[in-house]
Amino acid sequence: MKSATIAVAFAAALAATSAVSANTNWVTTVETAGGGHNIGNPAAKVKLTEFVSYTCPHCGTFARESSNPMEVYVATGKVRVDIRHVVRDPVDLTAAMLANCGPAIKFYRNHTALMNSQPRWLAAARSATSAQKSRWSNGPGSARRRAIASDLKLYDVMATRGYERIAIDRCLSDEALARRLAEQTASDDAKWNITSTPSFALDGLLLAGTSDWQTLRAQIDARM
């Protein structure tokens, strides 16, 4: 093949590859094999790991501040984010199970809906009565989680995502998921020594002194 022909063929192949990349919706590209939710281009230059707890107010603030710009980073294909749960209490577990309700592609929007509404339902959790807390701590796990979801109006949050009550109850009754989330927390604690949330790792390195979006954003930009 002549050199000019080779050059033309190479240019055509490159253009085709670029077109595929441009048409890929990285925000809806999700892998769960590692235990968390890896969202974005597997070949992204920057790999971000988030360790979050749904009952952590700072995690909620971070999620609300970073949601839109993070989607832009992921959409470029240059950043991949792995969101990992740090489950610390029954309310945390209930929210995490709701975030995981349905196929993996729904996770990020579920996560965002729960974090956006966190100030309201977390305030309700803090002002819970003794009777409510008793319902949250006694009886079968599924019944406890349904009580939490009802008292904190998390059913309403999930309804905005298109979930019917029967589907939500099915997710809250998934004991295998509950065990998996607890095991993931224990495994990450052992591997990463997570002492506070939110915590972050960039390209496999746990970041010290980083707990807000502006500080993290500067470190992401430095790696782009």
Side-chain angles (χ1 to χ4, degrees):
M1 184 181 291
K2 296 181 179 180
S3 58
T5 304
I6 293 174
V8 170
F10 177 77
L14 183 61
T17 301
S18 299
V20 170
S21 178
N23 292 328
T24 300
N25 187 352
W26 294 121
V27 178
T28 60
T29 301
V30 186
E31 293 182 5
T32 59
H37 283 79
N38 260 301
I39 305 168
N41 180 6
K45 182 178 181 180
V46 179
K47 306 292 198 306
L48 168 67
T49 306
E50 298 181 18
F51 300 94
V52 297
S53 161
Y54 288 104
T55 53
C56 158
H58 295 298
C59 295
T61 299
F62 168 81
R64 292 187 292 276
E65 290 180 349
S66 68
S67 180
N68 290 337
M70 186 62 72
E71 285 195 33
V72 173
Y73 279 115
V74 172
T76 66
K78 296 179 180 179
V79 177
R80 192 185 201 203
V81 58
D82 182 14
I83 300 178
R84 307 186 69 84
H85 301 296
V86 180
V87 176
R88 298 305 193 200
D89 55 63
V91 173
D92 210 343
L93 176 60
T94 299
M97 292 180 73
L98 293 176
N100 282 269
C101 195
I105 197 172
K106 290 191 173 185
F107 167 77
Y108 186 69
R109 299 297 183 208
N110 292 346
H111 169 80
T112 300
L114 288 161
M115 285 304 199
N116 284 345
S117 59
Q118 188 206 55
R120 182 177 67 253
W121 59 258
L122 192 56
R126 288 170 173 162
S127 62
T129 66
S130 297
Q132 287 175 318
K133 291 179 180 178
S134 178
R135 291 202 302 151
W136 300 356
S137 304
N138 297 290
S142 58
R144 297 198 302 268
R145 293 187 288 269
R146 288 196 301 270
I148 291 170
S150 178
D151 291 343
L152 303 186
K153 301 187 184 307
L154 296 178
Y155 283 102
D156 295 343
V157 175
M158 296 304 289
T160 68
R161 293 281 301 124
Y163 289 87
E164 297 182 354
R165 192 179 187 96
I166 190 171
I168 298 170
D169 285 344
R170 189 181 303 117
C171 292
L172 293 175
S173 298
D174 188 345
E175 296 299 340
L177 173 59
R179 288 193 298 272
R180 189 162 66 248
L181 290 170
E183 289 167 359
Q184 178 197 310
T185 296
S187 176
D188 285 346
D189 278 348
K191 178 180 179 180
W192 296 93
N193 189 29
I194 303 301
T195 59
S196 62
T197 52
S199 287
F200 307 96
L202 275 175
D203 301 328
L205 178 65
L206 192 66
L207 303 178
T210 301
S211 59
D212 64 89
W213 170 235
Q214 292 305 320
T215 304
L216 176 62
R217 185 174 194 168
Q219 295 178 77
I220 293 174
D221 287 344
R223 287 168 167 80
M224 296 283 278

